[in-house]
Amino acid sequence: MFFFFLFSFFCYYILYLLHCSGALTVAVRMCLSKTLQKLNCVKTYWHLLQVRSKSTSRSKMSFRSVEQLLRRNSKTKVSRNIVNGIHNQKEEQCVQSLRELVLASNQLPEKFDDYHVLLRFLRMRGFNILKAKEMFLNMLKWREDCSVDTIANDFKFEEYDAVKRCYPHGFHGVDRFGRPLYIERIGLVDLSKLMQVTSIDRFVKYHISEQERTVSVRYPACSVAAKKHIASTTAILDVKGLGMNNFSKSARELFIEIQKIDSNYYPETLNQLYIINAGSGFRALWRVLKAFMEARTLAKIQVLGSNYLNTVLETVDPSNLPDFLGGTCTCSATGGCLLQDKGPWTDPEMVRASKEAFGEGQKSSNELTATVACESFTGCQVGTHTSENSRQKQVNEQISGKIQELEECVAQTKETLQTLICKQQELASHIDQLRKILQGGVSADKKGNIQNLEVKMSFPKGGERGKGEKEVIIAF
């Protein structure tokens, strides 16, 4: 690209010199204008060449354009619904603005270039785009500093069974909407034993790995099972027997760290939290805990006493509620409801279908962007039934054609430039001769001879070889 701009500048420079000397013909001017117009087209052609590098550079096209292309490439209506969800027009505009803002700073990894991910940060910050961007970038920095991807892929929590025995918790089925149901019996936690079998640091890593599994596995599987987009969790926290005496320094540190992670780095993944069996001891503790929580999170929490069942059953079917909470499920074959990790995410068929809908069965955001961008060029059309190889071939042919046209433009520019340089040298030589004559104080006879001096220069007509030359005579 720099090569073409260099030629443009040099041509303008020669044009200026010759114009000042008064020796530039109309034909040469037309030739230069034509050449420079072609060079200006490079900016347009350069955009086409960028189609090949879309894997590392995403366009600022709207999510609506991506979504339309996704619909054409989706296999079924169900897969479209579970991937897209329901879009609100105002929210969509805010998401697009946030996306463009983050893209402008080149800080949007492909993994998080997702409508629903960006929407969660916007909602958490009341759709203040600048605050949402700051929160999003803080999340990326935290992931890098804490090696979250490594934790998600490689962390092994060998003390899992021992932790479950002294801290009963786990996922158990779904609510009536299809969201994962998470249950904790925090009133039965044996904190001293928990700190013997693990550490705060390892438990926090375990919590992060579970959050990553929920986002990448549980939500997609629940979406397929419910045939609609699922991106949040319903939780039940049984605090029976919990009071100020249970909330030691270690417990406070653990709670604050987990709350910070969930609120700041996994925002808007909580649909509803039911705190049940809340006695007077917990209510006193709750007044302290609320100080560490976001107002938007607090609005999703319902503190209930022992008469919680009717309220909970409005959201959770009895078959997905363990018997110790008033439901009908026992999971006796697996050692208890909270040890099974029961849900659509353990069904191989659901997992396979979710991978097809959210992963292997759909194009990546970069591929969608490149395909839509390709459609804006003449002759590059992508149909529903066109194969990936065929689309790539069309793009390659378009690029090859533009390369050939640019090479011809370069060759013609070189030829014109060489001609202009030669004429410039001839003019410079004649100017030097005239200066020597003036400086030498020549006689009147010699001056008379100068009056008859003619400078002959030949310029190519129209700047094209083989079309004849136009002669310019400068008489004195």
Side-chain angles (χ1 to χ4, degrees):
M1 191 65 177
F2 173 76
F3 178 73
F4 294 114
F5 288 138
L6 182 60
F7 266 120
S8 298
F9 173 77
F10 203 13
C11 286
Y12 277 121
Y13 176 68
I14 299 300
L15 179 65
Y16 171 75
L17 288 177
L18 293 177
H19 178 73
C20 291
S21 69
L24 186 64
T25 67
V26 174
V28 174
R29 290 179 185 176
M30 292 177 63
C31 173
L32 280 172
S33 298
K34 184 178 179 182
T35 302
L36 293 174
Q37 285 174 0
K38 289 188 176 183
L39 286 170
N40 287 334
C41 293
V42 171
K43 294 179 180 179
T44 302
Y45 299 152
W46 186 253
H47 180 68
L48 174 64
L49 297 178
Q50 288 180 315
V51 171
R52 294 186 68 92
S53 63
K54 287 293 181 181
S55 60
T56 57
S57 177
R58 279 155 285 163
S59 77
K60 295 182 179 180
M61 64 185 296
S62 68
F63 280 94
R64 187 173 299 245
S65 300
V66 176
E67 183 181 321
Q68 288 171 352
L69 185 63
L70 181 62
R71 286 196 177 99
R72 292 205 303 271
N73 289 277
S74 295
K75 294 182 179 179
T76 65
K77 184 178 180 180
V78 172
S79 65
R80 293 196 298 268
N81 290 338
I82 64 177
V83 172
N84 296 335
I86 300 174
H87 289 199
N88 175 283
Q89 186 175 358
K90 290 184 178 180
E91 290 181 347
E92 187 173 328
Q93 291 173 353
C94 291
V95 170
Q96 182 62 24
S97 298
L98 174 59
R99 181 175 186 265
E100 291 178 358
L101 190 63
V102 178
L103 272 176
S105 58
N106 196 28
Q107 293 178 294
L108 182 58
E110 183 177 356
K111 179 179 180 180
F112 299 103
D113 187 7
D114 179 87
Y115 174 88
H116 297 283
V117 170
L118 297 176
L119 181 60
R120 289 197 283 109
F121 285 87
L122 280 166
R123 284 176 173 168
M124 194 65 181
R125 288 295 176 255
F127 288 90
N128 184 311
I129 296 175
L130 292 178
K131 289 183 178 180
K133 177 192 174 185
E134 181 183 9
M135 185 181 187
F136 181 81
L137 296 182
N138 287 339
M139 179 271 294
L140 295 181
K141 186 177 185 306
W142 168 77
R143 293 184 68 90
E144 183 179 357
D145 293 344
C146 296
S147 303
V148 172
D149 289 335
T150 301
I151 292 174
N153 296 326
D154 302 331
F155 180 71
K156 304 298 181 185
F157 198 55
E158 291 88 357
E159 59 268 39
Y160 178 83
D161 291 337
V163 167
K164 284 275 189 174
R165 284 192 291 271
C166 56
Y167 179 12
H169 68 282
F171 285 89
H172 187 268
V174 296
D175 67 9
R176 294 184 186 274
F177 189 83
R179 305 180 188 92
L181 178 63
Y182 177 77
I183 300 171
E184 278 192 17
R185 304 187 74 181
I186 196 169
L188 299 180
V189 173
D190 186 339
L191 192 60
S192 61
K193 189 174 182 180
L194 178 65
M195 291 296 102
Q196 291 174 7
V197 299
T198 190
S199 64
I200 291 178
D201 180 65
R202 283 188 60 78
F203 190 87
V204 168
K205 288 182 178 179
Y206 160 68
H207 179 75
I208 292 172
S209 67
E210 283 295 294
Q211 285 284 46
E212 290 291 301
R213 176 170 165 76
T214 298
V215 171
S216 61
V217 179
R218 292 189 176 101
Y219 289 159
C222 287
S223 297
V224 171
K227 298 181 181 179
K228 52 193 170 187
H229 190 83
I230 301 294
S232 60
T233 302
T234 294
I236 298 175
L237 189 64
D238 185 2
V239 296
K240 186 176 182 179
L242 183 66
M244 291 297 292
N245 294 334
N246 303 84
F247 207 57
S248 64
K249 180 181 178 181
S250 298
R252 288 196 302 272
E253 291 176 358
L254 186 59
F255 172 82
I256 292 171
E257 183 63 24
I258 288 177
Q259 177 57 33
K260 172 186 165 186
I261 290 171
D262 292 348
S263 295
N264 295 338
Y265 312 128
Y266 299 94
E268 292 296 303
T269 54
L270 175 65
N271 170 65
Q272 184 75 45
L273 171 61
Y274 296 103
I275 299 178
I276 63 174
N277 290 317
S280 57
F282 174 80
R283 292 181 187 275
L285 178 61
W286 178 240
R287 287 193 288 271
V288 177
L289 297 178
K290 286 195 297 185
F292 301 100
M293 306 179 76
E294 295 271 356
R296 188 172 175 85
T297 302
L298 286 171
K300 300 178 180 181
I301 299 175
Q302 224 174 327
V303 180
L304 305 170
S306 56
N307 298 322
Y308 62 85
L309 188 57
N310 289 336
T311 302
V312 171
L313 289 178
E314 291 176 3
T315 304
V316 183
D317 188 85
S319 63
N320 281 319
L321 193 65
D323 60 348
F324 56 78
L325 294 181
T328 59
C329 185
T330 58
C331 293
S332 56
T334 56
C337 290
L338 298 187
L339 296 177
Q340 186 186 10
D341 195 25
K342 170 185 174 182
W345 52 89
T346 61
D347 184 340
E349 285 299 315
M350 290 296 175
V351 173
R352 180 191 59 78
S354 67
K355 286 181 179 180
E356 289 180 355
F358 286 86
E360 300 169 359
Q362 299 293 336
K363 290 185 176 184
S364 68
S365 175
N366 291 343
E367 290 173 320
L368 293 171
T369 300
T371 307
V372 172
C374 174
E375 291 178 339
S376 65
F377 293 95
T378 304
C380 183
Q381 299 177 354
V382 182
T384 305
H385 303 291
T386 305
S387 66
E388 191 67 31
N389 291 336
S390 177
R391 285 195 293 270
Q392 186 63 44
K393 184 178 179 181
Q394 288 178 348
V395 174
N396 290 341
E397 288 175 355
Q398 291 289 310
I399 294 174
S400 298
K402 298 304 177 185
I403 289 174
Q404 184 177 356
E405 189 172 344
L406 289 173
E407 287 176 344
E408 292 174 356
C409 179
V410 170
Q412 186 176 354
T413 303
K414 283 183 178 179
E415 181 180 347
T416 303
L417 188 57
Q418 289 171 357
T419 302
L420 291 172
I421 291 174
C422 291
K423 302 311 175 186
Q424 184 194 26
Q425 291 173 350
E426 290 180 21
L427 279 173
S429 176
H430 290 306
I431 291 170
D432 287 341
Q433 291 178 24
L434 292 172
R435 284 176 177 167
K436 288 178 181 179
I437 292 172
L438 290 174
Q439 292 173 357
V442 296
S443 63
D445 293 337
K446 290 184 180 180
K447 288 184 179 179
N449 292 334
I450 293 173
Q451 297 294 329
N452 299 322
L453 177 63
E454 293 181 349
V455 178
K456 295 183 179 180
M457 297 181 66
S458 297
F459 288 86
K461 268 189 178 180
E464 299 180 10
R465 185 178 296 175
K467 294 294 180 69
E469 296 184 338
K470 183 173 181 66
E471 190 173 68
V472 179
I473 299 177
I474 305 175
F476 296 87

